[in-house]
């Protein structure tokens, strides 16, 4: 159970950072989330994958960013939602030549996003990393 003190709203959003070796695809996402294609939950996670794609506000083309510029300048939309830990992950991704995406899930969009953005999650495999730890209530 979560107990909040102070101002509480009926909606929430979660910012996320995705870092990947290749273009994002459903197969890698299901594997990352530990969901077998025969699982009864596969449709839920495929919907989450689509919602993540639709929620991307910005991507980083590391070939066209100034590596000396502050990381928050690499994104065009709401970079203030990034924690210092996310920024370090981005710098590492830039050094390794990976792809990065930044966006939001919103509880007012649909039931799948409502379920996933009322909590925080993080997952990492050898191909994809997702950080949705920054839950903004």
């Amino acid at each position: 159970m979560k107990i909040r003190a102070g101002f509480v709203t009926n909606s929430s959003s979660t910012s996320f950072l995705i870092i990947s070796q290749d273009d994002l695809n459903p197969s890698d996402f299901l594997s990352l989330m530990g969901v077998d294609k025969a699982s009864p939950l596969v449709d839920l996670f495929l919907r989450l994958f689509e919602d993540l794609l639709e929620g991307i506000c910005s991507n980083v083309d590391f070939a066209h960013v100034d590596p000396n510029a502050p990381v928050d300048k690499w994104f065009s939309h709401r970079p203030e939602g990034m924690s210092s830990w996310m920024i370090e992950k981005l710098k590492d991704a830039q050094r390794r030549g990976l792809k990065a995406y930044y966006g939001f899930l919103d509880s007012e969009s649909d039931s799948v996003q409502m379920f996933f953005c009322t909590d925080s999650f993080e997952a990492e495999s050898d191909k994809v990393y997702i950080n949705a730890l920054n839950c903004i209530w």
Side-chain angles (χ1 to χ4, degrees), residues 26 29-30 35-51 110-112 116:
F29 180 75
L30 290 175
V35 178
D36 186 88
K37 291 180 182 175
S39 168
L41 297 176
V42 74
D43 289 339
L44 173 73
F45 281 91
L46 287 174
R47 179 62 189 267
L48 174 60
F49 175 74
E50 291 300 320
D51 286 348
D110 62 41
S111 58
V112 172
F116 282 101

Side-chain angles (χ1 to χ4, degrees), residues 45-105:
F45 281 91
L46 287 174
R47 179 62 189 267
L48 174 60
F49 175 74
E50 291 300 320
D51 286 348
L52 287 167
L53 292 181
E54 289 175 15
I56 292 172
C57 300
S58 218
N59 65 337
V60 177
D61 178 355
F62 287 120
H64 295 98
V65 297
D66 177 1
N68 298 316
V71 173
D72 63 347
K73 301 298 182 201
W74 294 357
F75 289 96
S76 60
H77 185 78
R78 292 183 65 180
E80 71 278 1
M82 280 186 264
S83 67
S84 59
W85 195 83
M86 291 168 79
I87 290 172
E88 289 307 311
K89 286 293 271 189
L90 276 170
K91 289 178 179 178
D92 181 59
Q94 194 261 350
R95 283 189 292 272
R96 295 173 47 209
L98 303 176
K99 298 178 181 194
Y101 309 87
Y102 183 63
F104 298 88
L105 294 177

